[in-house]
Amino acid sequence: MNAGAGTTTVTEAASTSTLLAAHNLALVWRFPLGNAPAVDLRLPWATGDQGSQELILGRDDACAVRLSGSDVSRRHAALRRPSADAGATIADLGSRNGVFVNGRRVTEAALGPGDVVRLGGWVGVVTAMPGDVLEVTPGFWGGATLQTALAPVRQVASTDLPVILQGETGTGKELVARALHQWSERRGSFVAVNCAALPEALAEGELFGYRRGAFTGADRTNPGFFRNADGGTLLLDEVGDLPLAVQAKLLRALEQREIQPLGEARPVPVDVRVVVAGQQALGELVRAQRFRADLLARLDGLSVRLSPLRERREDVLPLFSRLLDSFAAGRTPAFETDFAERLCVHDWPFNVRELVFLVRRLIALHGPEKTLRAHHLPARMTETAGAAPAPGATAGDGTSDGEGAGAPLAEPVQLPALMVALRTSGGNVARAATILGISRQRAYRLMEGQSVDLDSIRGVAERPR
């Protein structure tokens, strides 16, 4: 921002590198696309009539932040801060079309990370990590939050350090592991294994291999995943689902850099870079006695948490637009402001995977349309309009006792529906509540006195068949 004549002119050049370096909160406009200067929410502003600092947003040339469009009032809203140390608020200045925060019309509201702001035809997201959405590795795009998380991965790529990737379903753990393998320039293959899908009785043989005749049913020799990845990278996805006995043998393989195939008299040396991944933090599994502490210590060369999409809402519209371009095959439809706002306030429980399938659905059902509108979205997204929770609070914060953490349901949620959601989410109460559109407190109340064994659900979470 450049100060002059009592106003501040916001330029795109001043909004990215400066703000990112200072780690300041910024209101980053994501719609209309390609015309979105950011607004720093921490820099000193002009002093208003009441002595507080404020920044006026509107269509008038005299506004500090000028937003074009007939649906923006001349003096639409004011960003205010009582003091230099206080957080920013946004207030409606009597605009014709109103000010919306997280899908709700407000007269004044505090702003924090993840909040979605709409002024007329403009939609923005408050973020501590402003920056462009870039292609981190072929086919894998992300903004500053994701780029920052992956910077250490690229730094250690040329070493043989094991890497732990933790993130919810759909956050791109396998894509990151593939990127690590590509950056490492290891000559061997990249091999991905879903440990949750390995039958317990066969897990050891599948990982370390076996000779023909080593056990009943072994009618052929199997080199195993470790030898298939020799000289390359082995991803053990959902590694926490491995039986404890197999975990002990995995520890030995990592320490000795050799494996013992079933039926073989001698161990076989292997050179494998191991990457492990899971939805739940391995430290939590250690405390639950479902994962060996010594194995965690051996794996913990670098730990990276991949943020869910609801924690980086500033990425949603750029990702959606790129996916739309790729799937539309040259006939990319436009989309309206209300549509864009609802994409931003949606909780995205299944993250980028959900976004990909949404784009595919929209192209299949509404591809010929010139403009995508809010009514084209699935009901679970349109029903949240005007009732979206504050994105700054995670799904597990549960600050309100009422329901509304997700799409409201037509009928009150009962225990059987909650049990299905709990099994789907692996026993994570906060995620189950989000799926059902209720608060976490409501979920716990449904379980009161019902002998619900969360530890058992977490221990036998549904596995792919």
Side-chain angles (χ1 to χ4, degrees):
M1 295 192 204
N2 303 313
T7 66
T8 303
T9 302
V10 183
T11 64
E12 198 159 6
S15 69
T16 304
S17 58
T18 303
L19 295 180
L20 185 56
H23 299 288
N24 286 337
L25 284 179
L27 176 58
V28 181
W29 301 102
R30 289 308 195 201
F31 189 85
L33 297 171
N35 188 22
V39 183
D40 193 325
L41 300 183
R42 297 271 178 95
L43 291 178
W45 300 337
T47 302
D49 296 338
Q50 306 300 319
S52 64
Q53 295 181 358
E54 69 176 17
L55 208 62
I56 306 300
L57 300 85
R59 195 177 75 248
D60 196 283
D61 288 344
C63 291
V65 179
R66 292 186 289 274
L67 303 175
S68 61
S70 59
D71 47 4
V72 177
S73 297
R74 292 186 179 278
R75 288 171 52 88
H76 198 112
L79 288 166
R80 292 172 178 162
R81 196 170 58 235
S83 66
D85 297 329
T89 65
I90 190 166
D92 192 346
L93 297 181
S95 66
R96 182 177 68 256
N97 291 318
V99 173
F100 292 80
V101 176
N102 301 325
R104 296 180 183 273
R105 187 164 185 166
V106 300
T107 54
E108 186 165 3
L111 296 180
D115 283 330
V116 179
V117 176
R118 175 180 174 180
L119 305 178
W122 291 73
V123 177
V125 180
V126 178
T127 176
M129 297 287 283
D132 295 330
V133 173
L134 303 174
E135 192 171 24
V136 181
T137 190
F140 190 38
W141 296 76
T145 299
L146 183 63
Q147 294 168 37
T148 301
L150 295 186
V153 178
R154 193 153 202 163
Q155 285 182 279
V156 305
S158 61
T159 74
D160 62 356
L161 272 177
V163 175
I164 298 174
L165 302 175
Q166 190 253 317
E168 296 177 5
T169 181
T171 50
K173 297 184 291 293
E174 183 170 338
L175 288 174
V176 173
R178 288 183 181 276
L180 172 62
H181 176 67
Q182 180 183 1
W183 295 333
S184 74
E185 298 184 348
R186 293 178 67 89
R187 295 182 178 180
S189 300
F190 173 84
V191 177
V193 183
N194 183 355
C195 297
L198 293 176
E200 185 170 343
L202 301 178
E204 179 182 351
E206 292 297 318
L207 286 174
F208 307 122
Y210 52 82
R211 287 186 61 184
R212 179 181 178 182
F215 53 86
T216 302
D219 56 358
R220 59 179 178 82
T221 296
N222 180 358
F225 292 119
F226 262 85
R227 275 189 283 186
N228 287 339
D230 193 22
T233 304
L234 177 62
L235 168 64
L236 299 177
D237 196 9
E238 299 301 341
V239 69
D241 284 342
L242 284 178
L244 289 170
V246 178
Q247 291 180 27
K249 295 180 179 181
L250 174 59
L251 174 61
R252 178 174 176 79
L254 294 174
E255 289 180 336
Q256 302 298 324
R257 302 180 70 87
E258 61 184 23
I259 57 173
Q260 182 67 57
L262 296 176
E264 296 280 2
R266 296 181 179 178
V268 177
V270 289
D271 172 24
V272 174
R273 169 62 157 303
V274 173
V275 180
V276 300
Q279 296 186 50
Q280 193 170 357
L282 292 181
E284 296 178 9
L285 297 179
V286 169
R287 288 189 287 274
Q289 299 184 340
R290 292 170 50 198
F291 199 80
R292 293 178 62 104
D294 51 0
L295 178 55
L296 173 57
R298 182 62 181 77
L299 290 169
D300 197 12
L302 174 68
S303 293
V304 176
R305 177 181 178 269
L306 300 180
S307 299
L309 199 52
R310 66 180 176 278
E311 292 182 9
R312 46 189 183 97
R313 294 176 188 268
E314 64 274 15
D315 289 2
V316 171
L317 289 179
L319 288 175
F320 175 82
S321 296
R322 292 187 182 280
L323 288 167
L324 198 62
D325 285 339
S326 66
F327 284 109
R331 296 180 293 104
T332 306
F335 50 93
E336 65 175 7
T337 307
D338 194 27
F339 180 99
E341 180 188 34
R342 295 187 192 198
L343 289 183
C344 289
V345 300
H346 182 55
D347 196 44
W348 300 107
F350 304 108
N351 297 292
V352 178
R353 182 178 292 124
E354 181 181 359
L355 186 62
V356 170
F357 275 91
L358 173 66
V359 172
R360 291 178 60 186
R361 168 192 170 127
L362 290 168
I363 292 299
L365 295 178
H366 310 291
E369 301 279 352
K370 291 183 178 180
T371 303
L372 295 174
R373 306 187 186 280
H375 69 266
H376 292 143
L377 292 168
R380 68 180 183 277
M381 299 180 69
T382 59
E383 288 169 352
T384 59
T394 62
D397 287 342
T399 55
S400 170
D401 189 51
E403 298 182 12
L409 303 179
E411 299 293 336
V413 174
Q414 302 296 333
L415 183 62
L418 176 60
M419 296 303 295
V420 172
L422 284 169
R423 286 191 287 270
T424 300
S425 63
N428 186 311
V429 178
R431 298 304 305 146
T434 299
I435 291 171
L436 294 173
I438 63 175
S439 68
R440 188 174 59 169
Q441 287 87 340
R442 170 66 175 157
Y444 277 114
R445 284 201 302 273
L446 285 171
M447 291 187 288
E448 284 180 4
Q450 301 298 321
S451 301
V452 176
D453 188 348
L454 288 175
D455 289 336
S456 176
I457 294 173
R458 291 163 182 157
V460 293
E462 290 184 350
R463 299 176 179 181
R465 289 180 171 84

